[in-house]
């Protein structure tokens, strides 16, 4: 599958940037950043691919609304939407009862409500047959839940729940949605000790996103279905 219209949130670093670089070779890709300087820097670094960016903050309704109009100028519809933008507040070893409510709410605002806002505003641009991929994490998997990183874990578990709910509601429109774990990747979030490079991870994600067979309402890693 080529020549698809693809929108990726948080495309200036890590997995998002890797997806922009890879998918931008054969597709019409627009990505989001929170400020112009980051957008221009990303374009300079990815000068081998023809991609565009829009300014967007997933926590600001006005910002999303404005970005929507700019997206419409670059593509009539969206074949694949990647909800990739997210945050991780480094509280890895902090017990749940010592984690600040501010951290929990701030992380939930971006990682869970952010994707919901994006889908809400861009839904009219996603036709029957469209695909949505929410970039989640194994840290949000209830089946293998551990301690620490409460805010991040809760936000990703909630994102998984949101994905499942929307898979039922969007099925009526002929739109499929899944949550994916990209694996442990060498990004700012994953750290240098991670087992996958960005290139290795995004290649697997892209293969899944563009595959003729695309499930609905699942949680996957590298195309393999995971228990919630």
């Amino acid at each position: 599958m080529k020549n698809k219209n693809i929108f990726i949130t948080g495309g200036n670093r890590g997995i998002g940037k890797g997806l922009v670089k890879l998918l931008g070779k054969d597709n019409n890709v627009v990505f989001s950043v929170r400020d112009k300087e980051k957008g221009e820097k990303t374009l300079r670094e990815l000068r081998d691919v023809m991609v565009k960016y829009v300014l967007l903050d997933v926590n600001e309704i006005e910002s999303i609304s404005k970005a929507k109009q700019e997206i419409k100028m670059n593509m009539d519809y969206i074949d694949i939407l990647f909800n990739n933008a997210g945050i991780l507040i480094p509280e890895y070893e902090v017990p749940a009862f010592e984690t600040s409510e501010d951290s929990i709410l701030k992380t939930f605002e971006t990682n869970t409500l952010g994707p919901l806002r994006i889908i809400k505003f861009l839904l009219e641009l996603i036709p029957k047959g469209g695909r949505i991929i929410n970039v989640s994490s194994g840290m949000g998997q209830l089946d293998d839940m551990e301690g620490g990183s409460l805010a991040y874990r809760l936000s990703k578990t909630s994102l998984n729940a949101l994905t499942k709910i929307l898979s039922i509601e969007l099925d009526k429109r002929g739109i499929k949605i899944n949550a994916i774990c990209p694996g442990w990747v060498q990004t700012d979030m994953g750290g240098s000790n991670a087992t996958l490079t960005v290139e290795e991870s995004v290649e697997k994600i892209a293969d899944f996103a563009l595959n003729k067979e695309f499930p609905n309402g699942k949680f996957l890693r590298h195309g393999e279905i995971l228990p919630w």
Side-chain angles (χ1 to χ4, degrees):
M1 295 174 65
K2 296 182 179 180
N3 301 317
K4 297 298 180 182
N5 291 326
I6 301 174
F7 180 60
I8 303 168
T9 64
N12 62 292
R13 63 188 178 97
I15 292 169
K17 184 178 178 182
L19 285 170
V20 172
K21 180 179 181 179
L22 179 59
L23 294 171
K25 295 177 181 178
D26 298 310
N27 302 278
N28 178 26
V29 173
V30 176
F31 65 96
S32 76
V33 293
R34 284 189 293 177
D35 64 66
K36 185 175 181 178
E37 183 178 340
K38 291 179 180 178
E40 293 298 324
K41 181 175 183 289
T42 304
L43 290 185
R44 289 194 299 272
E45 293 172 345
L46 301 181
R47 57 183 178 275
D48 293 335
V49 294
M50 295 296 294
V51 296
K52 298 179 180 178
Y53 73 88
V54 295
L55 299 180
L56 185 155
D57 185 334
V58 299
N59 295 330
E60 299 291 339
I61 297 298
E62 184 177 343
S63 170
I64 300 172
S65 180
K66 184 177 180 180
K68 175 183 175 181
Q69 301 308 313
E70 294 186 38
I71 293 169
K72 290 171 69 174
M73 293 173 62
N74 291 289
M75 52 184 66
D76 295 328
Y77 54 88
I78 298 172
D79 292 301
I80 305 175
L81 165 62
F82 283 94
N83 277 311
N84 168 74
I87 62 171
L88 169 62
I89 296 175
E91 297 178 327
Y92 310 114
E93 304 299 330
V94 179
F97 50 81
E98 293 181 10
T99 302
S100 69
E101 291 188 9
D102 182 64
S103 292
I104 296 171
L105 292 173
K106 182 177 180 181
T107 306
F108 184 83
E109 176 88 7
T110 299
N111 293 0
T112 309
L113 293 183
L116 178 58
R117 294 187 189 102
I118 295 297
I119 294 170
K120 176 181 178 180
F121 273 81
L122 300 185
L123 188 57
E124 68 178 64
L125 298 180
I126 305 175
K128 182 177 180 180
R131 301 176 174 187
I132 301 173
I133 296 175
N134 290 332
V135 179
S136 184
S137 169
M139 291 177 71
Q141 185 181 14
L142 286 172
D143 188 66
D144 194 31
M145 187 65 71
E146 298 181 0
S149 301
L150 177 69
Y152 188 76
R153 290 186 186 278
L154 287 178
S155 73
K156 292 301 186 179
T157 301
S158 297
L159 179 60
N160 287 353
L162 174 64
T163 302
K164 188 63 177 176
I165 292 167
L166 291 180
S167 72
I168 304 301
E169 298 181 355
L170 294 179
D171 185 57
K172 303 169 186 176
R173 296 172 176 256
I175 298 171
K176 295 182 178 182
I177 180 171
N178 294 287
I180 63 166
C181 168
W184 188 19
V185 188
Q186 295 168 11
T187 63
D188 291 343
M189 285 189 184
S192 59
N193 292 326
T195 56
L196 290 172
T197 65
V198 170
E199 291 76 18
E200 290 170 335
S201 177
V202 299
E203 185 174 343
K204 294 177 183 295
I205 295 172
D207 286 344
F208 169 69
L210 297 172
N211 197 289
K212 184 177 180 180
E213 300 298 325
F214 192 78
N216 186 39
K218 303 300 181 183
F219 181 35
L220 309 100
R221 181 188 293 120
H222 309 328
E224 298 295 325
I225 296 176
L226 301 172
W228 294 103

